[in-house]
Each structure stands twice: as structure tokens, then as C-alpha cells.
């Protein structure tokens, strides 16, 4: 809610804090206490889900599952506890930017690693040189 | 004190709302740099894990996932207490802020107690496990260590917030420090949310009657 500080009357609440007449709800977004409690319950439940799936053998999918659940949990914390769900586009931009850079970093490093110690296909093919393209060998 | 006195923290701004949004923007930019810091280390972990998968899995089995789980629960609960503290500050209820911050600090300290026993168990292991043992433990101590330093800084900031709450500084138009430290505390929680499965759970664990794979 907008708080028009300048020119407004400041009143003191019972516990000593100051407040403007027209800003009783304060700055920033309010989320209900019930939502916070439900969020905590969801996060704890997902924590036990991630432990449980770690006891099962899905092969390569264990990594994908663990990371998916962690990303989901991180998303819940960011969207609700950190109020990102109620933020402006510029804050969203600031959040997305380092994630984008991190993904680029992973693509770069893991991509480079995956071709390491292997012949690069582009240069591993013998280059066919058409006859007459080279100058005659000198004797 | 009479009317027309601005609450603390608005010196450079015409409007409290402007001050609040400027602070929040700056805080999120700081958090972005934190993502760069941890993201870099996570990328190192990803590459070395791909290179030495067997060694990483064998080493991760030496970690106690139960300790990691307890710490996850502690940090998630502390995040909840933090957000309740922010909620109380938004309503200008300074006494409730103090109460919820006390709980947040308590769970942050519990995290350190578990961390102490965890590290102590590694050093007491036969043979002892140090950061120099192998690249997995080097990264394990680096990642959890840098994270623990963040928790420590967070606890310090929370103590400061608590002192301000006891001075009845927060009101619906000024609770910026609580929200900003809250954002930081939640980010530290988010980092742990990734650290826990990556370090402790990836090689598979033995629980619920299932053998490790």
C-alpha cells in the first residue's frame, strides 16, 4: 500500500511505533500467517520426500529428482517467504539475471568437460585438398 | 514526541515508500552477487563430480545425512520464524518481532551445534577427514563453511534487529531492516536447500528399509 509520508499526520500506535493516518497497512505486501504456516509444512514435507527418493534407485534420475525437488523448494521460499511473487518486474529481472549466468556457466564448464580428452569432430576429419590447389613441391 | 516527526531511516528520501523500495532494490542486487558466489562453487562441484563420480559417491557415504536433515529442518523453521518476524514488523508489533527473532536466532544456533558435531565427527574419523583429504571433502568443507559463515553473519544481523525491536523502532511505515535481513536469511536457507541433497543424498542413502544404491 502506498504511504504518502509527506504532509501526512504521524500518529503513534499503542506500542510506541509511528504510523501515518493513510498508511495503516504499511509498506510492502502482506501475506496471511496461515499461508506462511502452510508454506513451512510444504517445505518440511518436500524435505522428507527428497530424503525418501534418495533411498530408491532411479539411476541417473536420482540427480534430476533431487535437483527438481530442491528447485521447487527454493522457488517456494523465494516466491512466498521472500515475497517475490508480489514484486515488481525489475526485482524479477535481478533474480533471473544471476540464474541465467549460472546456467551459462554450467553449460560452458560441463559442455567443455564433456568434450575433453576426445578428438573434436570438426578437426578430426582429414581435410581433402583438391589436386592442383597446392603449389608444386620444391626440390 | 509530537506530530510531523518522520520515523527513523528516511533521511535521504521524500517519501518513506521511496526509501523502502530503494533499499529493497539494493538488497536484491546484493543477493544476486551471493548467487554468483555460490553458483561458481556449485559449478566447480558439478564439473569435479562429473570427473570423479565414484570418488564423490564413496566420500559422500561418509557424511551423516541425518545431521544434514536435522539442519535442513532447523533452517526451514528458522526461515518461518524470520518471516513471522517480518509479518509482526509490518504490523508494527515490536514485542512480537522480538519474540520471533529470538526463535530465529535460536534455530540458527541449533544449526551451529549440529555443524560442530558434524565437523568434529569428520576430524575424529579414522583416518581423519580434512579439506585436503580429497576434492570432495575440499568442496564439502568450502561449501558448508562459506554457508556457515553466512549463517553466522545472519545471526549477528538478527541480534541487531532484535535490539532495534526492543527500542520499538518498527512500524508499518518503517520495518526495512527486518525485511532486508529476512531476505538475506531466506537466501542462506535457499543455498542450504541445494547443499543438502547435493552433498548428502546424491549417492543414495540407507533408510526406510531401503539399501543404498
Amino acid at each position: 500500500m502506498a504511504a504518502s509520508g509527506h504532509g501526512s499526520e504521524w500518529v503513534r500506535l499503542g506500542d510506541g511505533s509511528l504510523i501515518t493516518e493513510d498508511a495503516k497497512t504499511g509498506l510492502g505486501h502482506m501475506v496471511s500467517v496461515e499461508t506462511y504456516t502452510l508454506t513451512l509444512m510444504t517445505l518440511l514435507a518436500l524435505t522428507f520426500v527428497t530424503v525418501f527418493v534418495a533411498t530408491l534407485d532411479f539411476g541417473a534420475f536420482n540427480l534430476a529428482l533431487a535437483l527438481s525437488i530442491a528447485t521447487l523448494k527454493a522457488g517456494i521460499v523465494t516466491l512466498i517467504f521472500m515475497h517475490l511473487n508480489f514484486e515488481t518486474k525489475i526485482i524479477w529481472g535481478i533474480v533471473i539475471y544471476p540464474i541465467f549466468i549460472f546456467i551459462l556457466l554450467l553449460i560452458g564448464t560441463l559442455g567443455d568437460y564433456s568434450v575433453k580428452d576426445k578428438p573434436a569432430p570438426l578437426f578430426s576429419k582429414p581435410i581433402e585438398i583438391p589436386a592442383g590447389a597446392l603449389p608444386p613441391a620444391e626440390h | 514526541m509530537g506530530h510531523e516527526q518522520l520515523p527513523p531511516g528516511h533521511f535521504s528520501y521524500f517519501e518513506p515508500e521511496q526509501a523502502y523500495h530503494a533499499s529493497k532494490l539494493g538488497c536484491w542486487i546484493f543477493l544476486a552477487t551471493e548467487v554468483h558466489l555460490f553458483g561458481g562453487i556449485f559449478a566447480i562441484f558439478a564439473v569435479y563430480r562429473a570427473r570423479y563420480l565414484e570418488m564423490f559417491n564413496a566420500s559422500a557415504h561418509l557424511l551423516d545425512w541425518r545431521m544434514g536433515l536435522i539442519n535442513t529442518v532447523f533452517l526451514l523453521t528458522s526461515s518461518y520464524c524470520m518471516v513471522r518476524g517480518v509479518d509482526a514488523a509490518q504490523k508494527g508489533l515490536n514485542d512480537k518481532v522480538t519474540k520471533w527473532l529470538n526463535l530465529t536466532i535460536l534455530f540458527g544456533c541449533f544449526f551451529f551445534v549440529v555443524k560442530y558435531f558434524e565437523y568434529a565427527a569428520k576430524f575424529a574419523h579414522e583416518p581423519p577427514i580434512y579439506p585436503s583429504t580429497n576434492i570432495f571433502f575440499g568442496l564439502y568443507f568450502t561449501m558448508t563453511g562459506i554457508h556457515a559463515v553466512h549463517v553466522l553473519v545472519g545471526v549477528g544481523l538478527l541480534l541487531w534487529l532484535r535490539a532495534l525491536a526492543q527500542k520499538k523502532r518498527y512500524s508499518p511505515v518503517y520495518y526495512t531492516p527486518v525485511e532486508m535481513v529476512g531476505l538475506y536469511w531466506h537466501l542462506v536457507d535457499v543455498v542450504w536447500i541445494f547443499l543438502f541433497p547435493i552433498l548428502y543424498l546424491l549417492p543414495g542413502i540407507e533408510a526406510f528399509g531401503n539399501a543404498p544404491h
Side-chain angles (χ1 to χ4, degrees), chain A residues 110-127:
Chain A
L110 284 176
D112 178 57
Y113 170 73
S114 67
V115 296
K116 207 176 160 193
D117 301 332
K118 291 174 196 165
L122 182 64
F123 303 108
S124 59
K125 284 181 191 166
I127 301 165

Side-chain angles (χ1 to χ4, degrees), chain B residues 22-211:
Chain B
S23 298
K24 193 153 68 179
L25 189 67
C27 189
W28 278 100
I29 291 171
F30 165 67
L31 296 188
T33 68
E34 291 283 66
V35 174
H36 286 318
L37 167 67
F38 283 104
I41 309 172
F42 275 107
I44 295 169
F45 188 90
V47 170
Y48 276 108
R49 186 176 182 274
R51 178 71 183 84
Y52 304 107
L53 185 59
E54 282 174 20
M55 183 257 271
F56 267 52
N57 281 344
S59 304
H61 276 305
L62 296 174
L63 298 180
D64 192 347
W65 64 269
R66 289 171 187 82
M67 294 250 197
L69 174 63
I70 292 167
N71 262 351
T72 308
V73 172
F74 281 163
L75 273 195
L76 288 175
T77 313
S78 83
S79 253
Y80 172 74
C81 296
M82 183 73 234
V83 87
R84 290 298 300 271
V86 174
D87 185 70
Q90 281 179 312
K91 294 166 182 164
L93 305 169
N94 282 283
D95 294 336
K96 273 198 168 179
V97 176
T98 310
K99 185 193 119 188
W100 285 109
L101 290 185
N102 282 344
L103 284 171
T104 313
I105 294 164
L106 190 70
F107 281 109
C109 293
F110 283 166
F111 179 86
F112 270 105
V113 172
V114 174
K115 199 95 261 167
Y116 167 78
F117 282 112
E118 231 186 326
Y119 279 3
K122 296 290 157 290
F123 299 146
H125 189 267
E126 193 54 49
I129 296 168
Y130 295 124
S132 57
T133 300
N134 61 28
I135 188 72
F136 174 84
F137 283 108
L139 283 167
Y140 163 78
F141 281 107
T142 306
M143 291 165 114
T144 57
I146 292 178
H147 178 266
V149 168
H150 278 77
V151 178
L152 193 65
V153 170
V155 169
L157 290 170
L158 287 167
L159 288 170
W160 167 64
L161 288 186
R162 192 178 167 280
L164 288 184
Q166 285 180 324
K167 290 179 188 164
K168 309 262 182 221
R169 285 285 178 82
Y170 307 125
S171 67
V173 286
Y174 180 70
Y175 59 93
T176 310
V178 194
E179 173 144 5
M180 301 315 142
V181 174
L183 287 176
Y184 170 80
W185 191 259
H186 296 314
L187 182 91
V188 175
D189 189 23
V190 165
V191 171
W192 184 262
I193 284 173
F194 283 102
L195 282 179
F196 173 55
I198 284 170
L199 291 173
Y200 296 81
L201 300 180
L202 279 190
I205 55 169
E206 190 177 354
F208 312 112
N210 295 318

